[in-house]
Amino acid sequence: MVNIYQKLQAIQAKTGAISKTETNKYQNYKYFTEQQALNILKPLLAEQNLTLTFSDSPTDFTREKTEKD
């Protein structure tokens, strides 16, 4: 049985480099868009029967420091 880590490794092995086709005109650097990444990842995720979910909830991006930190 293939576990999640093996599936993610298989996806990473097939991903390859993403070409930076966009240019930030103000700071003069190249970047790739989220859409470019999704166009590459979605078919690879489908091959592995995995799905990608998104959330823009502020609570998903915050983390409180614990005493162990």
Side-chain angles (χ1 to χ4, degrees):
M1 180 182 227
V2 178
N3 66 37
I4 186 82
Y5 301 107
Q6 292 167 317
K7 290 182 176 193
L8 291 172
Q9 191 283 325
I11 290 169
Q12 284 183 317
K14 291 182 176 181
T15 301
I18 300 175
S19 298
K20 296 178 180 180
T21 59
E22 304 298 317
T23 303
N24 178 306
K25 295 175 185 173
Y26 301 104
Q27 296 176 340
N28 197 31
Y29 65 86
K30 295 283 213 180
Y31 66 96
F32 61 88
T33 66
E34 295 88 354
Q35 190 61 49
Q36 286 174 286
L38 288 174
N39 289 343
I40 293 168
L41 289 175
K42 282 177 137 182
L44 298 174
L45 288 163
E47 285 178 14
Q48 298 294 330
N49 294 318
L50 294 176
T51 188
L52 186 61
T53 59
F54 295 93
S55 173
D56 60 358
S57 170
T59 59
D60 291 340
F61 297 102
T62 59
R63 181 178 177 272
E64 291 185 28
K65 187 174 182 178
T66 64
E67 299 226 2
K68 293 180 183 177
D69 289 343

